[in-house]
Amino acid sequence: MGDVSAIRADGLTKRYGQARGIEAVDLQVGRGEVFGFLGPNGAGKTTFIRTILDLLHPTSGRATILGLDSRRDSIAIRRRVGYLPGEIALWPNETGRAVLRHLARLRGDVPEASFSALAERFDLALDRKVHELSKGNRQKIGLVQAFMHDPELLILDEPTSGLDPLLQHEFRSMALERAAAGVTVFLSSHVLSEVEHTATRVAVLREGSVVTVDDVAVLKERALRRFEVTFARPVDVSVFSAVDGVEISDAHGNVVGLTVTGSVDPLIKVLARYDVVNLVSHEPDLEQIVLSYYGDPGAG
């Protein structure tokens, strides 16, 4: 049975002399999933992408994409992958249409209707020269060229950089549509909300190494939840600090702030004994969770 992974890295390492790149990365991305690759700028996300695409040669380790060896089969891989680099370089004196026509030929004669429809979705005017375009409009060209040939795998490095919120939403819709059709989407970003709304699994990269790989839902379950409880009358707050996983963050009159790690069920059972006027739950976002891996040098 062949490799069912869309992306697989085994001990993948890339060093730049004494500078850090990536170190012994093991990672497996299944076909048809939306996978988030998270970490702050400088963590090694772009180095990893460029290495698996054979734009950089690894110092050690190996990678496969769609079951093909990333170095030996790099040409065949590129036909089947849509790639958006973090900093896309375009011909400045050409129009967006001319750029996409050229890339369409390189992709194997992609029909103009394919990229025109995508451009329309992104509200991209194709007949202005690239040097006249804003960063956001150049980013749209990058997204169109990544999607236009219906690749089996999308590798997108900071895909919504420069896009306004409406177009960020449109990008998420497109990514989820492709995933529903069986395309694998590998989404590298430091914009955590972008990944939270699209990915089902994420890897967190810290100083060139993967510190965790998990389902977004599981990461959220492990996270700290914050509650603000308003009681009908003042209560003895010490009863809550005795509950497993619960800490009191603040208490003012009838209002008590609580943090909960793990299951909220024990807290709910204690609250049921009191006359609760209002209960506000502040759900953890992925940003809080991921930052926990960077706040402690020993995290992960």
Side-chain angles (χ1 to χ4, degrees):
M1 183 176 175
D3 189 351
V4 297
S5 305
I7 297 171
R8 178 170 179 152
D10 296 300
L12 197 65
T13 297
K14 174 63 182 178
R15 299 192 188 99
Y16 305 97
Q18 297 300 310
R20 185 188 67 246
I22 51 172
E23 190 69 37
V25 172
D26 294 322
L27 192 63
Q28 194 163 343
V29 178
R31 300 201 190 201
E33 74 173 319
V34 182
F35 190 93
F37 197 49
L38 295 175
N41 290 326
K45 302 185 303 296
T46 295
T47 296
F48 176 82
I49 288 172
R50 297 189 72 192
T51 305
I52 65 173
L53 289 172
D54 198 40
L55 301 171
L56 295 172
H57 291 169
T59 305
S60 60
R62 68 185 296 267
T64 60
I65 293 182
L66 300 170
L68 302 173
D69 184 89
S70 67
R71 296 207 59 194
R72 187 182 62 242
D73 304 314
S74 63
I75 301 299
I77 285 168
R78 287 176 203 178
R79 293 193 189 103
R80 298 167 63 183
V81 171
Y83 169 48
L84 174 68
E87 292 291 334
I88 187 162
L90 302 167
W91 296 276
N93 293 317
E94 299 287 350
T95 64
R97 189 180 305 278
V99 168
L100 289 169
R101 278 176 177 162
H102 178 64
L103 294 173
R105 285 194 295 273
L106 292 177
R107 293 285 191 197
D109 291 323
V110 175
E112 186 158 340
S114 294
F115 69 71
S116 293
L118 288 166
E120 192 172 324
R121 246 184 116 163
F122 277 123
D123 192 26
L124 170 63
L126 290 176
D127 295 313
R128 293 179 62 192
K129 291 191 174 180
V130 167
H131 71 82
E132 299 171 350
L133 298 176
S134 66
K135 175 176 169 54
N137 279 309
R138 293 195 301 273
Q139 187 75 356
K140 293 175 192 178
I141 293 175
L143 284 166
V144 169
Q145 66 80 32
F147 279 82
M148 68 183 180
H149 58 300
D150 289 328
E152 296 168 57
L153 168 63
L154 285 159
I155 297 179
L156 307 172
D157 195 355
E158 303 287 353
T160 64
S161 176
L163 297 185
D164 65 41
L166 191 63
L167 290 170
Q168 289 178 22
H169 178 78
E170 187 62 38
F171 162 76
R172 286 198 292 267
S173 297
M174 284 178 61
L176 292 171
E177 285 167 19
R178 292 298 195 273
V183 174
T184 307
V185 182
F186 184 85
L187 190 60
S188 172
S189 183
H190 72 282
V191 181
L192 303 169
S193 59
E194 173 177 279
V195 171
E196 182 175 9
H197 293 129
T198 48
T200 50
R201 282 201 310 146
V202 296
V204 178
L205 198 67
R206 180 178 186 274
E207 296 181 355
S209 298
V210 171
V211 294
T212 190
V213 180
D214 221 328
D215 293 346
V216 170
V218 170
L219 285 174
K220 284 189 166 187
E221 282 172 11
R222 292 179 187 162
L224 209 64
R225 288 172 171 80
R226 293 183 298 118
F227 292 89
E228 186 179 275
V229 190
T230 304
F231 296 93
R233 59 193 62 84
V235 298
D236 177 7
V237 296
S238 64
V239 69
F240 300 111
S241 56
V243 180
D244 189 36
V246 174
E247 289 187 9
I248 299 161
S249 55
D250 57 78
H252 300 286
N254 296 4
V255 181
V256 179
L258 303 166
T259 61
V260 182
T261 306
S263 173
V264 299
D265 186 59
L267 173 62
I268 298 300
K269 285 174 177 168
V270 173
L271 288 175
R273 303 174 198 162
Y274 297 88
D275 188 358
V276 174
V277 174
N278 194 30
L279 174 64
V280 179
S281 170
H282 301 277
E283 282 301 303
D285 63 19
L286 207 55
E287 182 160 8
Q288 294 170 316
I289 298 164
V290 171
L291 287 176
S292 70
Y293 288 99
Y294 294 91
D296 173 7

